[in-house]
Amino acid sequence: MTDFTDLVDLAAESLGGTVVAANDEFFAAKEGMLKGTPAEWREGVYTERGKWMDGWETRRRRSPGYDWAIIRLGVPGKVRGVVIDTAFYTGNYPERASIEACALTAPSSLAELEAAEWFTILPESQLFGDTQNKFEVQSDFVVGHLRLNIFPDGGVARFRVHGEVVPRRASDESLVDVAAVTNGGFSVMCSDMHYGHRQNLIMPGRSTHMGNGWETKRRRGPGHDWTIIRLGSHAEIHRIELDTDHFKGNAPGSCMIEGCFIPSTDEAHVADASWKTLVPQLPLQPHSRHTFDVNRVVPISHVRLNIYPDGGVARLRVFAREVFLTNDVGLSVGEFNGMSLADAAQALTACCGSSKWVAGMLERRPFDDLEDVLMASDEVAEHLESNDWLEAFRQHPRIGEQSTGWSREEQAAASESPSDVQAKIAKGNREYEERFGFIFIIRAAGRTADEILAALTERLNNAPDAELAVAAREQQRIANLRLVKLMQGGA
């Protein structure tokens, strides 16, 4: 990434950005700065206050001081650069500007906001008229509001705040659109975006018109178009929705969607990653919403949307159960390959208690990368029998009971739930064991206590053979998530 303007505009109106206050807006309203369209000029048009101008413009200052406006970002994030656009302001632009920031995202009043702790992210800097004045910002603070100061007065046509989204999501959400800009998603690259920008794919809400989606030029040779999206969280994907809203004579004929898992440090090579099919190539309908169920039980960090041969897509939604990863061990795959047999066996046993699974994984060393590890895990699991799964189940504590290590982290929601919910889970555990003869196994990471209880209650109705198969799938999900935690150090 060499140009910060390729990053998301954190202050965009489409994301909920707004100007909450300004000390003066005599000639042009403060809200004009954040319009999504380029600034325009209307020759010979005047209002009762003077020449019509597009943007925010204050009156001529006749006393000491300067003018200011406070902007609430649509999504909190880390600012990497700003654009103070003075388009069409030639004799009435500010001489200089500075920007301050604060961490507040939802103050109860303007007074609370003004009293907050503000810090400078752009010192007083010279501006030029009728120009996109670009300034890089070096700050790692997550901020929710900015204060744009202009010296001494004048007009700003557009104000853009480019940066990295840092989402603040509620912990009780079950399925999350991890591709959405508001949840930290970012379209890293694409083959073409001649008519519509790739970031439009992951913007909030449905598209408003054909120009509000991602659209490529007409392809006149072999091949197909594509875009790669970095998900806001490593996630276990459950459902993907693709919307061709407004694209009637120019929708793609078909699409195929892939996923991969790579460390963020390897993103420069994401196009060459080991991609796995999430949705096979399927036909698309114009001006329609399409829903695809996905059965991928390992974490995904990026998705690639392939469209055949070209055309436009309005929105892409990737619904997932978030996977919260912690670098408890931080081994690289190379370090794991170099471990002694005993140490490697001990590390693998913490991921899955089946001795046959551990032996199978050891036989497959050395591994090329994390994707190779996860593929081997799935292949070994396919050959496990009932006794192997039961052996793995016995290594887990009951849901809601005292636990340590990864189990404690994964079951935190259940262990810290209200006492009445814990009592219901304990009762369900007893009924489950009496019915099936083994403890209730569920991938608890990312699930609320209520979700765990609902799954427990529902699965009590399964036939014994069917329930063993369900529990085995959950055990494999747990094993793969722990493998990711074990080897987050990369290749």
Side-chain angles (χ1 to χ4, degrees), residues 390-461:
L390 294 174
E391 180 187 15
F393 298 166
R394 288 192 291 270
Q395 305 302 313
H396 292 278
R398 293 183 179 88
I399 294 289
E401 289 189 351
Q402 291 286 339
S403 56
T404 58
W406 283 334
S407 292
R408 181 176 182 178
E409 176 189 336
E410 293 159 355
Q411 298 188 26
S415 303
E416 298 168 6
S417 62
S419 57
D420 62 324
V421 177
Q422 292 190 45
K424 291 177 182 177
I425 291 176
K427 180 175 180 293
N429 279 335
R430 292 192 295 272
E431 293 176 2
Y432 184 96
E433 291 178 40
E434 289 174 1
R435 175 165 171 72
F436 299 114
F438 52 85
I439 70 167
F440 175 61
I441 299 293
I442 188 170
R443 194 225 60 192
R447 284 188 167 98
T448 67
D450 287 337
E451 290 176 322
I452 293 171
L453 178 58
L456 173 55
T457 303
E458 179 182 355
R459 285 168 55 183
L460 278 168
N461 297 316

Side-chain angles (χ1 to χ4, degrees), residues 84-98:
I84 304 173
D85 188 354
T86 55
F88 305 113
Y89 288 90
T90 55
N92 52 348
Y93 62 92
E95 289 185 337
R96 302 174 311 282
S98 70

Side-chain angles (χ1 to χ4, degrees), residues 74-77 105 142 164-186 230-236 300 318-325 446 448:
V75 284
T105 56
V142 178
E164 301 168 8
V165 176
V166 180
R168 297 180 179 177
R169 296 183 287 274
S171 60
D172 60 350
E173 291 181 295
S174 53
L175 290 182
V176 177
D177 178 8
V178 288
V181 164
T182 50
N183 287 328
F186 181 73
R230 179 206 310 141
L231 304 180
S233 303
H234 299 159
E236 177 184 315
I300 299 295
V318 180
F319 292 99
R321 201 176 290 279
E322 292 177 280
V323 179
F324 299 98
L325 303 177
T448 67

Side-chain angles (χ1 to χ4, degrees), residues 142-264:
V142 178
V143 299
H145 285 75
L146 299 183
R147 183 159 53 200
L148 171 62
N149 306 306
I150 57 174
F151 302 89
D153 54 39
V156 174
R158 295 291 186 266
F159 182 54
R160 308 298 188 215
V161 183
H162 297 280
E164 301 168 8
V165 176
V166 180
R168 297 180 179 177
R169 296 183 287 274
S171 60
D172 60 350
E173 291 181 295
S174 53
L175 290 182
V176 177
D177 178 8
V178 288
V181 164
T182 50
N183 287 328
F186 181 73
S187 181
V188 179
M189 61 181 71
C190 67
S191 59
D192 180 79
M193 51 179 183
H194 185 84
Y195 291 111
H197 200 281
R198 67 185 192 276
Q199 300 298 350
N200 289 338
L201 268 179
I202 54 178
M203 287 294 171
R206 300 197 72 187
S207 63
T208 55
H209 54 82
M210 197 170 70
N212 192 226
W214 169 54
E215 184 181 3
T216 69
K217 66 171 71 77
R218 299 191 186 206
R219 182 172 285 272
R220 300 306 189 193
H224 66 277
D225 289 320
W226 52 267
T227 184
I228 294 175
I229 296 167
R230 179 206 310 141
L231 304 180
S233 303
H234 299 159
E236 177 184 315
I237 298 174
H238 285 241
R239 186 175 75 252
I240 294 178
E241 294 181 3
L242 185 148
D243 195 349
T244 56
D245 196 22
H246 302 296
F247 290 100
K248 300 176 182 179
N250 50 353
S254 62
C255 80
M256 190 260 281
I257 304 172
E258 301 168 286
C260 73
F261 184 92
I262 62 168
S264 58

Side-chain angles (χ1 to χ4, degrees), residues 265-401:
T265 53
D266 291 346
E267 190 166 77
H269 307 289
V270 65
D272 300 320
S274 178
W275 292 92
K276 305 300 176 186
T277 300
L278 301 178
V279 177
Q281 188 170 346
L282 295 171
L284 294 177
Q285 297 300 316
H287 192 50
S288 301
R289 298 174 80 170
H290 307 74
T291 299
F292 310 107
D293 290 328
V294 177
N295 294 309
R296 182 73 172 168
V297 300
V298 297
I300 299 295
S301 63
H302 294 70
V303 297
R304 179 164 61 192
L305 169 62
N306 304 290
I307 58 173
Y308 302 89
D310 53 37
V313 176
R315 295 289 187 267
L316 182 71
R317 306 295 185 212
V318 180
F319 292 99
R321 201 176 290 279
E322 292 177 280
V323 179
F324 299 98
L325 303 177
T326 57
N327 200 359
D328 294 319
V329 180
L331 291 172
S332 70
V333 175
E335 289 170 333
F336 176 77
N337 289 336
M339 292 175 70
S340 69
L341 191 65
D343 288 344
Q346 183 177 359
L348 290 170
T349 302
C351 299
C352 177
S354 163
S355 55
K356 184 175 179 180
W357 180 88
V358 171
M361 293 295 289
L362 291 173
E363 288 176 0
R364 283 164 172 77
R365 281 202 307 170
F367 298 107
D368 294 332
D369 51 28
L370 182 56
E371 183 71 19
D372 191 25
V373 174
L374 296 176
M375 287 178 59
S377 172
D378 288 342
E379 290 169 2
V380 173
E382 289 178 2
H383 299 286
L384 298 187
E385 299 176 352
S386 298
N387 287 338
D388 302 314
W389 291 117
L390 294 174
E391 180 187 15
F393 298 166
R394 288 192 291 270
Q395 305 302 313
H396 292 278
R398 293 183 179 88
I399 294 289
E401 289 189 351

